[in-house]
Amino acid sequence: MFNNTNSIEFELPQLKASSGRDREIKQFGNKKVEDIIYHHLFLDKDHRSLDIEILNKSDGSTQGRVSANILYYFGIKGVNEYNKAQFKGVLKNFSLFQGIEILEKHLSLDYPHKDMLRKIIQYLKNDFERREEEIDADYLDQVERETIELLHNKKHILVSDEIKPPPAQKTVLNGRQNFSRNARIAVEALMEATFKCEVNHSHYTFISRKHRQPYVEAHHLVPMKFQDRFPLASLDTHSNVVSLCPNCHRLLHHGIQEEYIEILETLLDQRHSRLIKCGIEINIEELKMMY
């Protein structure tokens, strides 16, 4: 059974009333606003730094007022007993994914200005999804290159099902931390599946011009973003990487639950015993909550 991040006891400072000033929100657009919220809450950046690094106010003449106005719109203001900004770095010890879960937990509590908290959560979710797509695209490129290398050199693959320690290092992309993934493990899983879709071997996919094998994509059945819930076992293992045709892969990422649930049930049924050997114990209800 995995550990639930929602059980973390963490008290968020109280949001203040919104300033109502949304001029900067409209001026700079969603991406800049997402970056400002993330860098302030998670990366411990003050208003002056945000103006310079995010909004390119490099001459320092704004003295942080522009990004401050953005944060004040969301009620992110106020000081603590040490006369420091209450929200600055308040979630620095958590990943973006964990932070979102913590904020969502506060929606069920007696917390003021929940309307603004919902807006903050949505901005952070949009940011998270965009970064995940960037990371996934980079990972699939790595897998393609590693596939070419293994096939060209006719290297033997060694697939093993055993408990491995969680990734010790996190890669950083655009200021975001993410658990590292080994492209070699993914390629070995694809080769073990003989480059067929594990949902249904008859699913058609084209031939890759790069390595001349049917084009399939590697997917972590238990998503890597939940690695923190498995403190004793790595999710980046052969048992947890499945070979999917592009349609099934996109369906899992972007489809509605009524359509992807059958795929999850099929894949978990196939992999359940192997996952247990690797220290990954999970049932279908828990897995559904991760998608």
Side-chain angles (χ1 to χ4, degrees):
M1 185 73 65
F2 58 77
N3 294 326
N4 194 330
T5 306
N6 283 334
S7 65
I8 294 174
E9 293 299 328
F10 182 86
E11 186 173 351
L12 190 72
Q14 291 191 357
L15 292 172
K16 309 300 181 183
S18 170
S19 66
R21 177 189 173 111
D22 63 355
R23 185 172 69 188
E24 288 83 4
I25 306 288
K26 296 175 180 177
Q27 177 183 355
F28 291 101
N30 290 343
K31 186 177 184 301
K32 294 289 187 182
V33 173
E34 292 163 9
D35 283 342
I36 284 174
I37 294 173
Y38 175 81
H39 280 72
H40 187 65
L41 299 184
F42 290 84
L43 299 187
D44 205 20
K45 296 295 180 70
D46 60 23
H47 299 159
R48 292 173 184 263
S49 298
L50 294 173
D51 271 17
I52 294 171
E53 297 175 18
I54 306 299
L55 302 181
N56 299 317
K57 305 292 184 181
S58 57
D59 60 1
S61 61
T62 62
Q63 299 183 332
R65 289 190 297 271
V66 182
S67 58
N69 285 336
I70 292 174
L71 293 171
Y72 292 167
Y73 169 78
F74 293 100
I76 300 175
K77 55 184 175 180
V79 296
N80 58 25
E81 65 270 25
Y82 306 107
N83 201 35
K84 294 183 178 180
Q86 285 183 302
F87 284 87
K88 177 176 172 286
V90 70
L91 295 172
K92 64 182 179 182
N93 294 323
F94 302 100
S95 68
L96 175 54
F97 181 71
Q98 287 177 315
I100 291 172
E101 287 195 317
I102 289 170
L103 296 180
E104 287 185 323
K105 177 181 178 181
H106 281 74
L107 288 175
S108 64
L109 305 176
D110 184 18
Y111 189 80
H113 306 297
K114 290 184 180 181
D115 56 335
M116 279 298 151
L117 182 58
R118 289 189 183 91
K119 288 185 178 181
I120 292 169
I121 291 171
Q122 191 56 58
Y123 273 98
L124 290 174
K125 280 186 173 181
N126 292 342
D127 182 45
F128 180 81
E129 290 174 3
R130 185 175 66 252
R131 302 301 177 183
E132 281 287 289
E133 288 181 359
E134 292 177 4
I135 293 166
D136 285 344
D138 181 66
Y139 175 63
L140 292 178
D141 284 343
Q142 293 179 38
V143 171
E144 280 278 276
R145 293 193 296 271
E146 187 73 20
T147 301
I148 295 170
E149 171 70 15
L150 287 179
L151 292 175
H152 177 73
N153 293 313
K154 299 181 180 180
K155 293 183 179 179
H156 295 290
I157 64 171
L158 180 60
V159 175
S160 60
D161 288 341
E162 58 186 13
I163 298 176
K164 297 179 180 179
Q169 300 293 327
K170 294 182 180 180
T171 58
V172 178
L173 179 65
N174 297 324
R176 274 65 174 169
Q177 290 188 325
N178 297 276
F179 286 101
S180 59
R181 294 177 285 185
N182 188 334
R184 176 67 178 264
I185 289 176
V187 176
E188 290 175 339
L190 298 182
M191 294 176 71
E192 181 190 26
T194 61
F195 296 97
K196 294 178 181 178
C197 179
E198 295 187 69
V199 175
N200 189 322
H201 288 180
S202 68
H203 285 179
Y204 172 79
T205 181
F206 58 90
I207 301 299
S208 169
R209 70 174 64 139
K210 294 182 179 180
H211 52 66
R212 302 296 176 179
Q213 296 292 328
Y215 181 84
V216 286
E217 296 175 341
H219 174 75
H220 288 81
L221 182 57
V222 182
M224 285 297 297
K225 62 187 178 184
F226 291 96
Q227 178 62 72
D228 283 327
R229 298 187 178 183
F230 297 85
L232 302 180
S234 174
L235 294 180
D236 193 34
T237 64
H238 296 107
S239 66
N240 192 41
V241 177
V242 293
S243 172
L244 300 176
C245 68
N247 187 66
C248 285
H249 196 193
R250 293 303 99 191
L251 175 56
L252 285 180
H253 281 284
H254 303 292
I256 60 175
Q257 188 179 82
E258 290 82 356
E259 295 190 9
Y260 68 66
I261 185 61
E262 185 176 350
I263 291 178
L264 288 182
E265 291 173 343
T266 297
L267 294 174
L268 184 59
D269 184 61
Q270 293 174 0
R271 294 299 182 101
H272 191 251
S273 60
R274 292 183 62 187
L275 288 171
I276 290 177
K277 288 181 181 179
C278 295
I280 306 171
E281 297 189 34
I282 190 168
N283 61 44
I284 187 60
E285 293 304 318
E286 293 165 342
L287 188 60
K288 283 163 55 178
M289 293 295 293
M290 296 179 173
Y291 283 79

